[in-house]
């Protein structure tokens, strides 16, 4: 899996790529919904396009599916340029955000719709429909009308309708967005199970990071029409390269500063009110560069006593603000000396927390857990 | 729906007002129908029910011919105005300039019928001259008389009048349709036409059928445009108006008015009843859909 910003990415084609886009762009009036995005998705991968609403991920998915034509750039499916082909001429099928089932057709007719267009013999259609309904857990629902199904069942029918066509690539546009939280979790696991069973490429659009982290083999972060970064879920969550990703994924604290020293694998940052040491990033900025440090909220400990100064951890003196109880743990609001807020997460220990509003406290985090961002 | 905190008398008064308003609007129509069944016609002291005047009307060759011509005109208008209205409604859903589009589509309705009719009359006359000039230039008679007043000109006039109505009626039904279903059909391998015919049309056919009925009724009721543009044939409404102007309202006139009113009320009434029953069914389905989702 690789991502490039230019057309030169075409040289990286290895033959087992399901989807490639080369600098695709799409504008609606003055709004540039997708801005020169290049992405490659391997065959059989569960690929997630994650980002805030209005960031362009659905437009990118629709460009891949042929529902919109790119203003610039190319879309390749299995190495073949399909940029100018309509959706019915592409080897993709799509599951939509809202229940795009045909309301005048039963479950069976919805699922068999595409097969009938292919003019397959009736017994073959019946066999395929029965087997796919079993796969999505809707055996025996053939005669039901869409309005007789729950939200989750309707999405399963949509999934079955797409899967039964045996397309190589399944596009899912926020398929779980209209489901309640519990149902969404169940469906996440279901989608992953089905994808592993059928072994085709899934490209799933969502703005929900939990959903993305649960389900994805790889995640691409998309915002403001641009590809921000891409990687495996653990990498994206634990080692985001971009400041935007750190801000968007998980709960990270961002502090701006300036590099004042570089020593081997570490750099020293002047935050204005204190200095901290962070691991050196791939981007290797020079001394004097303006940078941002991100520290995951769950890596921070809060103590009343000043910790020992050492290389493996960093600490700052802060003012404790308040605790918000979240059930599995608590979120603590802290005030840095420069007046900016900071957040720490602690797990519920059963013991009452000792700090109260206005107390002077110390926040400590492992040096290795902080990241350096230059952009 | 009754307001739980409102007075029952205020609720009843609103219903009484509504019924009075509808009664006032429909009283003249029903009165004409009532008179059309009287053996002794309008203003007679005695009322004796008869179908005689209807038999007379339907036995009158001129009237039956006018009825036939009106039927042809209605059929031609339905076959052209409804597809045009449907295409316009589909285009409306895609365009970003919706207000401008609707304004342009509905603008012809704000031109008074007589002015539109006389404008078309002048337009067709001039068009004929242009075509004749073209024929002369080509040394042929191919384009002679294409726009002489007749069925074609009356038809064009009727289409200009009915397309905006057809557009509005279809658009109302189409607003419930979600375009994602078309995209889903395309994603299943359907061509644009297959997606329309197999997925969209079954969901909007009520609007299309209503539009057909509406255009047909408008064709039967319309008089000023056809009067000026029809040329050598008569429509039912033209004969009725001519009769009223020449000899006043005769028993046959009442019967003719009765036929037009009964037909219109029957068609619109059936559509209304069907639409209300359908909308109630859809509402019931919507309520079922809105039930809390079960983990399944």
């Amino acid at each position: 899996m690789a991502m490039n910003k230019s057309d030169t990415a075409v040289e990286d084609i290895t033959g087992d790529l399901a989807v490639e886009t080369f600098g695709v762009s799409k504008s609606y009036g003055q709004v540039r919904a997708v801005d020169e995005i290049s992405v490659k998705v391997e065959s059989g991968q569960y690929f997630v396009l994650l980002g805030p609403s209005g960031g362009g991920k659905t437009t990118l998915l629709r460009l891949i599916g042929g529902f919109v034509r790119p203003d610039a750039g190319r879309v390749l499916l299995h190495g073949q340029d399909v940029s100018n082909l309509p959706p019915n001429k592409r080897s993709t099928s799509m599951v939509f955000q809202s229940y795009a089932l045909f309301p005048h057709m039963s479950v069976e007719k919805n699922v068999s719709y595409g097969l009938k267009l292919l003019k397959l013999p009736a017994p073959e259609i019946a066999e395929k429909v029965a087997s796919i309904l079993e796969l999505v857990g809707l055996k025996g629902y053939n005669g039901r009308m869409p309005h007789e199904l729950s939200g989750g069942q309707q999405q399963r029918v949509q999934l079955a309708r797409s899967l039964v066509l045996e397309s190589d690539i399944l596009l899912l546009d926020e398929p779980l967005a209209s489901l309640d939280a519990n149902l969404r979790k169940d469906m996440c696991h279901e989608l992953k199970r089905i994808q592993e069973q059928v072994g085709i490429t899934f490209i799933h659009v969502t703005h929900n990071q939990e959903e993305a982290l649960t389900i994805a083999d790889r995640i691409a972060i998309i915002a403001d029409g641009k590809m921000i970064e891409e990687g495996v879920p653990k990498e994206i969550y634990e080692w985001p390269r971009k400041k935007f990703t750190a801000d968007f994924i998980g709960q990270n604290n961002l502090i701006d500063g300036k590099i004042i020293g570089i020593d081997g694998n570490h750099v020293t940052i002047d935050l204005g009110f204190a200095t901290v040491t962070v691991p050196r990033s791939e981007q290797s900025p020079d001394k004097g560069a303006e940078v941002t440090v991100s520290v995951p909220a769950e890596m921070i400990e809060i103590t009343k006593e000043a910790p020992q100064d050492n290389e493996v951890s960093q600490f700052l003196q802060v003012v404790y603000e308040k605790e918000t109880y979240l059930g599995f743990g608590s979120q603590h609001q802290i005030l840095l000396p420069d007046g900016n807020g900071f957040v720490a997460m602690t797990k519920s220990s059963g013991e009452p927390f000792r700090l109260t509003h206005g107390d002077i406290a110390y926040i400590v985090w492992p040096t290795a857990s902080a990241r350096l961002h230059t952009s | 729906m009754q307001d739980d905190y409102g007075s029952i008398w205020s609720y009843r008064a609103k219903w009484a007002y509504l019924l009075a308003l509808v009664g006032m609007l429909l009283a003249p129509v029903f009165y004409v129908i009532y008179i059309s069944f009287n053996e002794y016609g309008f203003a007679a002291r005695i009322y004796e029910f008869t179908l005689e005047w209807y038999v007379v009307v339907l036995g009158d060759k001129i009237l039956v011919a006018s009825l036939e011509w009106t039927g042809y005109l209605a059929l031609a208008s339905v076959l052209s105005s409804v597809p045009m209205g449907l295409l316009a409604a589909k285009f409306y859903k895609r365009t970003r300039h919706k207000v401008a589009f609707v304004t342009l589509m509905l603008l012809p309705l704000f031109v008074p019928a007589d002015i539109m009719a006389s404008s078309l009359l002048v337009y067709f006359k001039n068009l004929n001259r242009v075509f004749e000039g073209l024929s002369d230039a080509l040394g042929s008679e191919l384009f002679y008389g294409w726009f002489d007043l007749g069925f074609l000109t009356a038809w064009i006039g009727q289409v200009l009048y009915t397309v905006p109505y057809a557009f509005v009626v279809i658009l109302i039904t189409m607003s419930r349709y979600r375009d994602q279903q078309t995209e889903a059909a395309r994603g299943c391998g359907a061509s644009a036409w297959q997606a329309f015919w197999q997925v969209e049309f079954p969901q909007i056919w009520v609007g299309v059928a209503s539009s057909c009925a509406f255009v047909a009724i408008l064709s039967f009721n319309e008089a000023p445009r056809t009067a000026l543009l029809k040329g050598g044939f008569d429509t039912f409404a033209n004969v009725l108006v001519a009769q009223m102007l020449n000899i006043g309202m005769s028993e046959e006139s009442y019967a003719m008015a009765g036929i037009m009113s009964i037909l219109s009320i029957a068609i619109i009434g059936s559509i209304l009843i069907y639409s209300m029953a359908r909308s109630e069914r859809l509402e019931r389905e919507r309520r079922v859909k809105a039930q809390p989702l079960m983990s399944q």
Side-chain angles (χ1 to χ4, degrees):
Chain A
M1 175 78 204
M3 178 189 57
N4 296 279
K5 268 270 176 189
S6 72
D7 239 17
T8 55
V10 76
E11 291 160 16
D12 302 333
I13 296 171
T14 58
D16 62 345
L17 291 173
V19 178
E20 298 159 85
T21 68
F22 295 103
V24 283
S25 298
K26 181 72 189 174
S27 298
Y28 295 104
Q30 298 297 312
V31 180
R32 200 151 172 86
V34 169
D35 190 5
E36 288 186 40
I37 291 185
S38 296
V39 63
K40 293 182 181 181
V41 182
E42 282 176 17
S43 289
Q45 201 165 58
Y46 204 121
F47 194 83
V48 171
L49 299 172
L50 174 67
S53 298
K57 49 195 190 305
T58 292
T59 307
L60 178 60
L61 194 78
R62 290 167 66 78
L63 283 164
I64 295 169
F67 296 100
V68 284
R69 195 192 284 255
D71 296 334
R74 292 183 298 143
V75 177
L76 270 67
L77 301 181
H78 295 291
Q80 201 177 10
D81 193 339
V82 294
S83 311
N84 293 312
L85 292 182
N88 53 321
K89 305 274 184 207
R90 297 190 183 198
S91 58
T92 55
S93 49
M94 185 136 161
V95 174
F96 292 87
Q97 178 177 0
S98 60
Y99 316 130
L101 294 179
F102 310 138
H104 57 296
M105 294 184 196
S106 64
V107 167
E108 186 174 2
K109 285 186 176 163
N110 261 284
V111 176
S112 63
Y113 180 74
L115 299 176
K116 283 179 184 161
L117 291 171
L118 291 171
K119 296 188 175 11
L120 294 185
E124 194 181 336
I125 291 177
E127 193 185 313
K128 280 178 186 281
V129 169
S131 121
I132 208 77
L133 284 178
E134 191 170 355
L135 178 75
V136 298
L138 287 177
K139 190 178 174 186
Y141 282 71
N142 304 43
R144 298 255 189 119
M145 296 302 283
H147 69 266
E148 294 171 323
L149 303 173
S150 70
Q153 288 168 337
Q154 290 188 34
Q155 284 306 68
R156 283 163 193 258
V157 177
Q158 262 213 82
L159 194 61
R161 187 174 64 186
S162 300
L163 286 172
V164 80
L165 297 171
E166 295 171 7
S167 306
D168 298 329
I169 302 149
L170 185 67
L171 310 173
L172 303 105
D173 183 14
E174 306 236 19
L176 313 178
S178 46
L179 307 181
D180 65 45
N182 285 335
L183 190 50
R184 194 183 308 139
K185 275 184 195 165
D186 292 345
M187 280 295 288
C188 262
H189 296 296
E190 274 290 286
L191 282 173
K192 187 71 183 162
R193 176 186 68 79
I194 290 167
Q195 191 264 340
E196 283 169 357
Q197 202 166 330
V198 295
I200 64 167
T201 312
F202 275 35
I203 304 180
H204 179 133
V205 159
T206 182
H207 62 267
N208 185 315
Q209 54 171 294
E210 194 186 338
E211 190 179 310
L213 293 168
T214 307
I215 212 163
D217 292 327
R218 288 190 83 87
I219 295 174
I221 308 287
I222 298 204
D224 294 329
K226 292 181 189 300
M227 173 79 86
I228 305 297
E229 70 174 286
E230 176 267 340
V232 296
K234 194 175 167 68
E235 189 181 294
I236 290 277
Y237 186 86
E238 292 182 10
W239 293 103
R241 292 190 293 275
K242 303 284 182 178
K243 182 178 165 182
F244 177 88
T245 312
D247 199 21
F248 183 70
I249 293 260
Q251 191 153 25
N252 292 297
N253 295 285
L254 304 180
I255 330 169
D256 293 329
K258 187 186 276 186
I259 296 179
I260 54 168
I262 301 173
D263 173 23
N265 288 329
H266 290 88
V267 291
T268 307
I269 317 282
D270 178 12
L271 303 178
F273 54 88
T275 57
V276 291
T277 301
V278 297
R280 202 171 173 182
S281 72
E282 292 168 8
Q283 296 143 325
S284 60
D286 294 329
K287 201 170 167 182
E290 302 279 348
V291 291
T292 302
V293 175
S294 71
V295 185
E298 66 269 26
M299 301 305 285
I300 295 167
E301 265 182 60
I302 310 168
T303 64
K304 207 162 185 177
E305 292 79 32
Q308 291 289 321
D309 204 356
N310 60 53
E311 282 184 358
V312 293
S313 62
Q314 302 295 309
F315 69 90
L316 293 172
Q317 191 186 51
V318 296
V319 177
Y320 189 78
E321 285 273 288
K322 66 170 184 177
E323 177 187 5
T324 308
Y325 180 66
L326 301 172
F328 61 89
S330 292
Q331 179 178 290
H332 305 274
Q333 306 280 341
I334 293 148
L335 215 54
L336 296 176
D338 65 352
N340 283 320
F342 217 76
V343 173
M345 303 287 290
T346 55
K347 285 182 186 165
S348 291
S349 62
E351 289 176 21
F353 196 70
R354 293 176 298 135
L355 292 165
T356 55
H357 179 77
D359 284 351
I360 299 295
Y362 294 87
I363 52 171
V364 189
W365 66 85
T367 306
S369 69
R371 313 86 156 208
L372 186 67
H373 309 284
T374 52
S375 57
Chain B
M1 190 184 286
Q2 193 180 337
D3 172 9
D4 284 352
Y5 298 97
S7 146
I8 183 73
W9 288 107
S10 132
Y11 176 71
R12 285 173 184 170
K14 282 173 198 164
W15 265 106
Y17 163 75
L18 184 67
L19 291 174
L21 183 69
V22 173
M24 195 175 78
L25 291 172
L26 287 179
V29 178
F30 284 114
Y31 185 61
V32 167
I33 296 171
Y34 171 75
I35 292 169
S36 70
F37 289 112
N38 188 8
E39 170 91 46
Y40 303 103
F42 176 66
R45 287 191 175 185
I46 310 163
Y47 188 92
E48 209 167 285
F49 181 82
T50 183
L51 292 173
E52 186 191 335
W53 305 119
Y54 284 86
V55 176
V56 170
V57 166
L58 295 174
D60 185 327
K61 283 182 182 168
I62 295 174
L63 289 175
V64 171
S66 74
L67 205 57
E68 263 179 40
W69 275 114
T70 317
Y72 294 142
L73 196 59
L75 184 67
S77 302
V78 165
L79 290 177
S80 40
S81 295
V82 174
M84 285 164 80
L86 179 60
L87 280 175
K90 278 190 75 69
F91 182 69
Y92 168 83
K93 285 197 82 177
R94 282 170 170 244
T95 183
R96 288 189 291 134
H97 310 289
K98 291 195 177 351
V99 176
F101 188 84
V102 165
T103 308
L104 288 172
M105 278 302 294
L106 301 186
L107 219 50
L109 294 181
F110 300 109
V111 180
D114 297 325
I115 293 176
M116 176 64 96
S118 45
S119 305
L120 280 170
L121 187 66
V122 174
Y123 176 71
F124 287 135
K125 291 229 181 240
N126 284 319
L127 209 57
N128 244 348
R129 276 191 205 144
V130 171
F131 271 65
E132 279 171 17
L134 187 67
S135 282
D136 292 344
L138 293 171
S140 135
E141 291 185 358
L142 182 66
F143 300 118
Y144 264 60
W146 273 27
F147 294 97
D148 282 348
L149 296 185
F151 188 82
L152 177 69
T153 51
W155 178 24
I156 294 172
Q158 201 64 23
V159 167
L160 289 179
Y161 171 49
T162 52
V163 163
Y165 288 108
F167 163 72
V168 169
V169 173
I170 292 171
L171 195 61
I172 291 166
T173 323
M174 219 180 234
S175 63
R176 298 175 76 113
Y177 177 76
R178 285 189 289 189
D179 290 329
Q180 275 195 341
Q181 288 173 24
T182 298
E183 291 188 340
R186 298 296 308 272
C188 286
S191 64
W193 167 252
Q194 283 170 323
F196 169 73
W197 186 244
Q198 293 162 352
V199 175
E200 185 172 2
F201 188 75
Q203 296 180 62
I204 61 162
W205 74 267
V206 175
V208 176
S210 306
S211 179
C212 290
F214 204 50
V215 170
I217 289 169
L218 287 176
S219 305
F220 271 85
N221 291 350
E222 206 281 326
R225 289 171 188 79
T226 38
L228 290 187
L229 302 171
K230 67 186 170 52
F233 70 94
D234 286 315
T235 64
F236 206 57
N238 292 145
V239 173
L240 179 64
V241 172
Q243 267 196 9
M244 284 161 59
L245 293 175
N246 291 326
I247 55 170
M249 284 292 276
S250 65
E251 282 75 8
E252 289 95 326
S253 307
Y254 283 111
M256 285 170 70
I259 289 172
M260 286 170 68
S261 305
I262 290 166
L263 267 176
S264 303
I265 290 170
I267 294 172
I268 294 290
S270 342
I271 289 169
L272 266 179
I273 290 167
Y274 179 82
S275 304
M276 282 163 75
R278 185 172 180 270
S279 126
E280 215 165 274
R281 181 172 57 80
L282 289 175
E283 180 58 24
R284 269 202 309 275
E285 290 175 5
R286 193 193 60 74
R287 272 194 233 116
V288 171
K289 238 183 206 175
Q291 297 293 317
L293 303 178
M294 304 297 290
S295 291
Q296 181 62 258

